Amino acid sequence: MGILDWFKNRPAQFDPDRVSDEMLRGAVDKAITLTNPRLKLLPGCHKRLMPAVATTIEFLRALVHDLPAARPLSSAVWSSDPTLRAFFVAASDIPGLLGRADNLRTLFDKFPELDEACLVLGMAFMERQVFGMVVHGGVVQRDVAQTNVSFSDHGARICGSDESRLRRVAAVEAFEYLLGQALAEIAEDRLERQELQGSRSLIRARLRLLQQQGPGLGSMFGGPPARPSEQARLNAELLENERQLAALGGSESVLEAELDCLRTVLGNPQRNLRVEPRRLRLSSMNVVVDDTSSDAAADVDFSLAELGGSPPMRRAFVLARVARGEMPPPQQINLDDAGRYL
């Protein structure tokens, strides 16, 4: 199976309810194919990689199982939902987000019978110290140190027809992210190996193409995937890259080092990926308050993901449910306005 085939039918690649031998073998094959197919030349490669892959799968099963249930995402309930008010400045921000969710629109278009879909709502999360005014016992106190939080850069690029399917896709994305981290470490290690100058560019190109193809948590939390025309070009380059890697020779010691790197990353997934639940009691101005405060406030729950890549990334996210009726109509190009710029 080629590298591009692993990006198809992702939900079928992960089952959070049970770990089968077939799923383990598939995950090992995927790890080898996406990292370096020549690893298969090493004696017992699959057997040696299996324990590390099993560790990552158990880690990801616990991760997706512990994520809170998907919550409604709707401009109609914004005023009555403290969590949505904390995430979005105004109700009108929600249709704006959904209007940019091309994958969600494609899903609804592909399945006309689908009334509702699920997505991962990812957001930049920032905490900063400010000085504000509080009231204690009827006495106004000024210049009191407070923590203010903000949510911005909203994205909804990962979606599924139901919550179970969405959790499966999220786990596969996380697995691909860890493989990308292993590949990045392998590329760095090769910089120090003078005898591999010729293959260094192939490895670095492979990493770049993988990142731009859209796998891993980059597509969940980072930039959008490439446009269709760009993806077609990347697919062609990636296939050629695969051919060159398959024909490239290399010493067994180098492949052993790459396998060790892959085993280390997958055997310790928590080093590169941490997800923790967060609950903050926030005022209407997104100021953190404690339980003793008399200010009007509400508990806001979300998950915080910390990715140990380069550069590191920290994003808040929740699973959400969106009704078909919430999708705004697709934007139409105003040819008169566009003509003014020609």
Side-chain angles (χ1 to χ4, degrees), residues 98 108 114-116 322-328:
L98 298 178
F108 278 127
L114 202 62
D115 295 325
E116 183 182 74
V322 178
R324 177 185 291 270
E326 290 292 327
M327 293 295 295

Side-chain angles (χ1 to χ4, degrees), residues 148-171:
N148 178 268
V149 303
S150 62
F151 301 88
S152 61
D153 190 27
H154 301 76
R157 302 181 183 105
I158 305 302
C159 58
S161 56
D162 55 48
E163 187 170 339
S164 174
R165 191 175 181 88
L166 181 69
R167 290 174 186 264
R168 288 170 176 251
V169 173

Side-chain angles (χ1 to χ4, degrees), residues 22-225:
E22 181 183 3
M23 186 173 77
L24 275 172
R25 288 194 299 269
V28 171
D29 286 339
K30 182 172 187 174
I32 293 171
T33 302
L34 297 191
T35 306
N36 186 348
R38 292 183 299 123
L39 292 175
K40 290 184 289 187
L41 299 175
L42 293 175
C45 173
H46 285 72
K47 184 177 180 180
R48 294 159 63 188
L49 191 55
M50 187 74 74
V53 169
T55 296
T56 284
I57 287 179
E58 288 300 329
F59 172 81
L60 296 178
R61 289 182 68 207
L63 188 154
V64 299
H65 178 271
D66 292 342
L67 292 178
R71 58 182 308 111
L73 179 61
S74 167
S75 56
V77 302
W78 176 86
S79 60
S80 59
D81 188 335
T83 298
L84 290 184
R85 293 202 308 273
F87 292 163
F88 298 95
V89 175
S92 59
D93 292 336
I94 297 177
L97 163 72
L98 298 178
R100 301 189 301 271
D102 294 336
N103 289 347
L104 182 61
R105 189 180 302 280
T106 300
L107 180 65
F108 278 127
D109 290 343
K110 185 176 181 180
F111 299 100
E113 74 282 3
L114 202 62
D115 295 325
E116 183 182 74
C118 293
L119 56 82
V120 176
L121 170 62
M123 302 161 284
F125 174 69
M126 180 176 295
E127 297 174 287
R128 62 190 183 97
Q129 298 300 311
V130 298
F131 292 94
M133 181 178 63
V134 297
V135 179
H136 280 297
V139 178
V140 176
Q141 298 181 354
R142 302 181 184 276
D143 295 330
V144 177
Q146 299 174 324
T147 300
N148 178 268
V149 303
S150 62
F151 301 88
S152 61
D153 190 27
H154 301 76
R157 302 181 183 105
I158 305 302
C159 58
S161 56
D162 55 48
E163 187 170 339
S164 174
R165 191 175 181 88
L166 181 69
R167 290 174 186 264
R168 288 170 176 251
V169 173
V172 175
E173 297 278 348
F175 185 71
E176 291 172 0
Y177 168 78
L178 292 172
L179 295 183
Q181 290 301 107
L183 190 54
E185 293 186 18
I186 289 172
E188 288 298 318
D189 182 61
R190 286 199 169 197
L191 291 177
E192 302 175 1
R193 299 176 183 270
Q194 296 298 320
E195 69 273 17
L196 292 174
Q197 291 292 324
S199 64
R200 179 199 309 170
S201 60
L202 292 177
I203 292 295
R204 299 173 84 177
R206 191 177 185 82
L207 175 60
R208 175 178 59 83
L209 293 170
L210 280 174
Q211 291 171 336
Q212 294 184 48
Q213 180 70 21
L217 298 186
S219 60
M220 184 184 298
F221 298 134

